[in-house]
Amino acid sequence: MDPRRGHFRIVTKMNPIDRTHDPKRRSWVESANGHAEFPIQNLPLGVFSPREGKNRGGVAIGDAIFDMAAAVRAGLFTGAARKPALMAADQTLNRLMALPPSARLALRQRLSDLLSADGADRSAVESLKGELLHPAADCTLHLPAQIGDYTDFLTSIHHAANTGRFFRGGQDPVPANFRHLPIAYHGRASSVRASGEAVRRPHGQHQSRPGEPPTFGPCERLDYEYELGVWIGNGNALGEPIAIAEAGAHIVGHCLLNDWSARDIQRWESQPLGPFLGKSFSTTISPWIVTVEALAPFRVPQPPRSPGDPHPLPYLWDEEDQKGGALDCTLEAFLLTPGLAAKGLPPQRLSRANATDLYWTFAQMVAHHTSGGCNLNPGDLFGSGTISGALADGPGALLELSENGQRPIELASGETRTFLEDGDEVIFHAHCHREGFASIGFGECRGRITA
Amino acid sequence: MDPRRGHFRIVTKMNPIDRTHDPKRRSWVESANGHAEFPIQNLPLGVFSPREGKNRGGVAIGDAIFDMAAAVRAGLFTGAARKPALMAADQTLNRLMALPPSARLALRQRLSDLLSADGADRSAVESLKGELLHPAADCTLHLPAQIGDYTDFLTSIHHAANTGRFFRGGQDPVPANFRHLPIAYHGRASSVRASGEAVRRPHGQHQSRPGEPPTFGPCERLDYEYELGVWIGNGNALGEPIAIAEAGAHIVGHCLLNDWSARDIQRWESQPLGPFLGKSFSTTISPWIVTVEALAPFRVPQPPRSPGDPHPLPYLWDEEDQKGGALDCTLEAFLLTPGLAAKGLPPQRLSRANATDLYWTFAQMVAHHTSGGCNLNPGDLFGSGTISGALADGPGALLELSENGQRPIELASGETRTFLEDGDEVIFHAHCHREGFASIGFGECRGRITA
C-alpha cells in the first residue's frame, strides 16, 4: 500500500511479475548488485558504440553494457529468445519494437538468466565477459530507434493550469478540453537527441511587449520541461484505431525526455497553430528504454479524478487500465550552473514529481492518438507532457518555478535563475521504488546549454 | 508580363532556363507532345511499380512512365548524370534528394536528351522502349520518398483571415504574427499517402455547442484544403540555420497536397496546442515531384506586400528571392459526388487559386523553419498552407466556400454540400502556363471519402 496515495498497488494481467523481478536475484556482474539504476531486475535496452566500434544494441547492467551483437555471435540465444535477441543487436531497435510483447519478454527472461549469479550457464557466459561486457564509461550511447514521428502530450493538470495562467490568463487556466481528452501536438522527430549532446540556444522571433513588433535574436527565456517518454512498439494500420484495452500492448517502454522550450519564441509563434520553433530546436532523451516488463512492479491504479470532473468517454475508459495504468516513478530535475561547478557544489535539485501526477494514462494516450485512424509505427515516440506535482517543488519547468520569470530561484552558489543561461546543464533522473522489490532507475537525461 | 498582376516575370540565377525548356523540343514518346501534364519539358520524378513488379524510380513522360531502373541497367547514364540516375532508380528518392541541385540538373538534361525526338541516341534508346516505358495506366504510384518530418504552413492571408473569422472571431481575423513569420505546425508524417488511396472518415471528439460536453463519433465537418507540397533536398545540421539566400537550393520540387481536415474535431482539440487528430488521420499528395528545374520558367516576383504591412526581418529577406521566389501556378479543386457520377456529369470545380496568392515564399519557409536550429532532412515535406485567392471561387477549403457550413454549395447534379459526404471524391490539379513555353502540370491528387 502506498500511504501517500491511499490506494493499493496491484499488478495487471498485462504486466506479470516473474523471476526476473525477484529482488534476491543477483548478477555475476558485481557492479549491478545494489546499483541505483541498472540492477539485474532492470535490463533496459539501448544502442551504443564502444570506442572505435560500430553502433549495436546493448543492455545496461550495473556499470557495464552487455553487448547484444557479441552475445548473439556467441550463440547465447535459442528458441523464443533468438529472434528478439538478433533484433536487439541491431543498430536501431525498430525491428525489435515491432515484435509482440511476448518476444521481448522471452528476451528479458533469457537475459536475466544469462546475467544471474546462479544462472545455469554462468560459467560459460562469464568466461566470455571480455567480449560481452564493455565499461559503460567507455561507450557512447545513441538514440535507440529511428523515430518516425514524435508526439508531445499535455497531461499534467498542474502544468496545464500553471502555463495556462502565464500564457493565456483568463478565468479557468485549465483548457476546456483538458479533462475530456489527452491534449497533444505533433513534435519534431529530427531534432530528438540522446543525453549528453549540447543544446544550442536557439535564435528566433520574440516580442518584448504585446503590440510591439517582434525582434529576432537569441532566446531570452530558455526552459526545460521534464517528461516521461513513451516508446511505441507494434503499430496500427492507417484508419484502424487501437482499442484502449489493447493499447498497453503497443508500448515497449519508457525514457526520460527534456522538452526544451524557448518560452519567448513559443509565446509569439503559437497562435493559432501551436508550438513550433519554440520546441523543435532540440529534445533530449535518456538513451535506455526501460521496458514495460521491467516496470511491472511499479504499476499502480490511476489516481481518481476530482469530484465534478467528467467521466472519460468510452473509447478512453478501461477498468483494467484504471487499475494499473499509472506508474509510480519519481522524477527529479537538477541544475548544474558554472557557479555551482566552480565551487565544487553538486547539481541542485529544482523539481521533483511523480508520474502518477499525470491525468491520463499512457494507454489512454495511445487510444486517443489512434482514435481517428492515425497510424503509429514501431519507434514512434511520445512525450507525456511536463510532469508537475502539486507541491512547491513540483513544477517541472522554470516557467512555473520562477512564476513566469517574476521570482528568481536562489542557488547554493549564490547565483539566481529565472531561465537557463549559457553553460547551465540540466540533468534528469527517475527512479521506481517498491518495498519488496529492487529499485530501478532510468539513467541520465542531460544537456548543457551553449551560446 | 503577366497583365493580371502587373509585374514582369524574371528568372533568377538559381533557376536557369536551358535546352530542356525549349518549347519546340518534342519527344519520340508521342503521347508526351502537347500533353497537358507531362510533356518532355516537365520530367517529374517519382516511384512506381508496374503490375507484379517491385517499386522503383521513374519519370513521367506523356502517358508513360520511363523506368529509371531499366534505364540504368541499359547503361544510358554516364558522367555527371550517372550517380543521380542510380539514385533516381531507388525504391525511395531520399538519396537523390540529398544530392546537390547540380546533380539533379545533370540528370534532367540527360533525360531530356534521351527522350528527345532529335536526341543523338534516339534510335538506340527507342529500340529499348519495351523495357524502358510502362503505360502509366498499368502502374501504381507510390510516395516518392520516406518522409522524415512533415510541416504544414499557414501562408495564405485570405485563408488565414477566413478561418480566423470562423475559428476565433474577434476584430482582426488575421493572427498578429502572420505578417511577421510564416506560421507553421508540425504535421504527422506517417499518415501521408499517395493520390488514390481512400480516406476513411475519422471518428473523434466534437462539441455540438460551446459549453456542452463533447461526444465521440464520425466527423461531421470533413473538409479538404488545397496546398502545394514542398520536397526538401539537402538538409542542415542541428543548430545550423539555412540562410535565406541559400534556402532555395534546399528545395527539390513540389507536389499537390490535400490537408484533409476534420473541422469539428480540430475546433475542439486545437486549444492550446494546435491541430492534432483533426489533421493527422490522412494527408494525400500527388506522387510526382515536379522539380524546381522544370518550374524555372514559371518563377515570378513575390507580389508586393500591402501598404502598412511590416517589412520582413532580415533573416527572411533576400532581394533575389523577392525577384523570383513566387510560382505562377494555377490550382484547381474538383468534387465528384455519387450524384454527379450517376448522372454522368464531370467533377465540378469548387476552388481555383494561384500559388502567387501565398504571402511567404518557399525560401522564406525554409529559412524560418531552420532559423532556430531545427534540422531538415532529405525527404522532409512541407505543405504551403491552403492557397485561397481573393475571388469568390478562390477559397481552397469548404469551410470558407460554405461560410462555415452556413451557405450550401449547389452542384450540377442538384445536390448540395457544406462539407464532404461519404463517397465524395476530391481531385486537385495544377498547371503552369507561360507564353513561349510548354505548359506543365502536376498530375492528380485524388482521394475518396469512405465511411
Side-chain angles (χ1 to χ4, degrees), chain A residues 47 76 86 110 119 131 144 149 155 157-158 195 256 273 285 304 349-350 354 366 386 441:
Chain A
V47 171
L76 298 180
L86 277 171
R110 177 63 181 153
E131 290 140 63
D149 278 290
T155 62
I157 199 162
H158 302 298
S195 177
L256 296 170
L273 297 181
I285 62 170
R349 190 173 72 198
L350 296 186
N354 192 293
V366 169
T386 303

Side-chain angles (χ1 to χ4, degrees), chain A residues 180 188 190 200 205 375 380, chain B residues 180 188 190 205 239 375 380:
Chain A
H180 294 279
R188 179 82 192 174
S190 74
R200 255 195 231 186
Q205 285 195 26
N375 58 324
D380 282 353
Chain B
H180 294 280
R188 180 83 192 174
S190 73
Q205 285 195 24
N375 57 323
D380 283 351

Side-chain angles (χ1 to χ4, degrees), chain A residues 410-421:
Chain A
E410 312 271 344
L411 302 179
S413 54
E415 299 164 292
T416 60
R417 285 291 182 276
T418 49
F419 291 98
L420 297 170
E421 300 191 0

